[in-house]
Amino acid sequence: MNYYFNNTPIFYKSTGSGPALVLLHGFLESSTIWKELIPDLKEKYTIICMDLPGHGKSGNLSEIHSMELMAEVLYELLTHLNIATCKLVGHSMGGYVALAFAESYPHAVDTLVLLNSTPLSDSIERKENRDRALRLIQSEKKLFIGMAIANLFSEETRLLFPSAIEALKKEAYSFSTEGIMANIRGMRDRVDRTALLKNFGGKKWVVAGTKDPIVPFSQCKLLALETESHFKTVEGSHMSWLENQDEIVKFLLFIDFFYL
Ligand code: MLT
């Protein structure tokens, strides 16, 4: 279904019943990544997943899709759906949006799950890589998408999921260059939300892949300690929703009960 934010279509799905569980995908992904997880999760939760601006079937809102802007879009969607409080799961860039959401609308989230994500902002080197990506994508969109998606996997897991990788690439080729660029700028310019995560009063989880090439495992572990978040280790790289699907489903079904 489409929800309209400033006259721009924002694609979302809502299914199931029970407390609201919002699933936010990462960069170059869409709500389709949750497809295999939803049948089990919807037995317990009302699942809401949206295509973030610039991704999937959603339109573009601005030259910069800041994390705050995307959080506002989610808040408006939840208001439209009469959902006052949710549990918020964000994969990678989706986690950056989840943190911005918790900052702007603390009353609207009782549980935060950062899945292969971090509250840190970009390092100088990473910002430079974003600027390089902004230049490359304008002339070599397919090459950029192909490389960027392959880089989300470790060498081992890349070999395990060839058809899923092809499907991710194929979908991402259909995203507009402007939308992808707006999200790169938004990630590059995002602020550090370590203090926000530490002060967040609800339940909070950091879930990290042992071989994540994007968000280093050791860094996630330290950040979980520093922010007093529960920490979950999964064997794999950056794409735990795919690589550790059953484990992530079971974990999400029990986020209210698990304590370390
Ligand atoms: C993602 O998977 O959402 C991105 O790789 C995150 C990032 O580039 O920081």
Side-chain angles (χ1 to χ4, degrees):
M1 279 177 97
N2 277 336
Y3 164 72
Y4 286 84
F5 181 93
N6 290 347
N7 296 323
T8 301
I10 301 295
F11 179 80
Y12 74 96
K13 288 179 219 152
S14 169
T15 179
S17 57
L21 183 77
V22 175
L23 304 173
L24 296 177
H25 62 79
F27 179 58
L28 295 178
E29 298 170 347
S30 78
S31 55
T32 59
I33 68 165
W34 308 113
K35 200 171 59 196
E36 309 281 330
L37 289 79
I38 288 176
D40 288 328
L41 293 176
K42 73 174 189 187
E43 296 297 318
K44 174 163 178 183
Y45 300 112
T46 303
I47 306 292
I48 292 112
C49 46
M50 65 190 275
D51 290 349
L52 290 166
H55 285 59
K57 300 192 189 79
S58 291
N60 300 331
L61 292 171
S62 162
E63 280 210 356
I64 302 185
H65 289 153
S66 69
M67 303 305 118
E68 295 80 2
L69 174 62
M70 295 198 277
E72 186 186 346
V73 174
L74 173 61
Y75 185 71
E76 294 294 323
L77 171 63
L78 294 181
T79 305
H80 168 74
L81 297 173
N82 280 321
I83 292 171
T85 312
C86 69
K87 302 177 195 308
L88 194 43
V89 181
H91 177 243
S92 201
M93 181 185 76
Y96 312 155
V97 177
L99 287 163
F101 184 92
E103 182 171 75
S104 300
Y105 316 102
H107 57 282
V109 53
D110 62 32
T111 306
L112 260 183
V113 179
L114 300 185
L115 180 61
N116 318 113
S117 192
T118 174
L120 296 180
S121 54
D122 273 358
S123 62
I124 291 174
E125 187 191 347
R126 207 144 165 75
K127 282 183 199 290
E128 285 168 2
N129 285 343
R130 304 275 192 211
D131 286 333
R132 263 195 292 279
L134 287 169
R135 289 193 291 274
L136 176 65
I137 193 175
Q138 294 183 68
S139 53
E140 299 282 359
K141 181 180 173 188
K142 269 189 124 173
L143 177 73
F144 167 75
I145 290 174
M147 274 172 17
I149 290 182
N151 287 343
L152 301 174
F153 292 81
S154 67
E155 268 174 45
E156 295 105 59
T157 57
R158 203 172 295 150
L159 299 174
L160 294 176
F161 300 99
S163 54
I165 294 174
E166 277 320 301
L168 280 167
K169 285 185 191 169
K170 195 169 164 210
E171 189 184 21
Y173 292 149
S174 71
F175 304 169
S176 72
T177 304
E178 296 69 32
I180 296 174
M181 290 176 73
N183 284 66
I184 295 174
R185 294 187 190 104
M187 288 194 288
R188 178 196 62 193
D189 298 348
R190 76 186 191 280
V191 298
D192 184 299
R193 290 199 163 89
T194 310
L196 178 277
L197 184 59
K198 186 171 165 97
N199 295 330
F200 176 68
K203 210 158 282 178
K204 51 202 175 183
W205 281 95
V206 172
V207 182
T210 48
K211 297 203 176 103
D212 191 325
I214 307 287
V215 192
F217 178 79
S218 52
Q219 187 187 80
C220 287
K221 199 166 178 181
L222 279 177
L223 281 162
L225 203 66
E226 185 184 339
T227 59
E228 292 156 24
S229 302
H230 299 295
F231 183 68
K232 179 171 170 57
T233 301
V234 284
E235 292 298 325
S237 61
H238 187 64
M239 307 297 257
S240 301
W241 56 267
L242 171 70
E243 300 166 27
N244 311 81
Q245 197 178 99
D246 293 346
E247 193 179 346
I248 294 298
V249 167
K250 281 190 199 121
F251 161 71
L252 291 177
L253 286 172
F254 291 101
I255 36 177
D256 282 336
F257 303 109
F258 267 34
Y259 282 98
L260 294 178

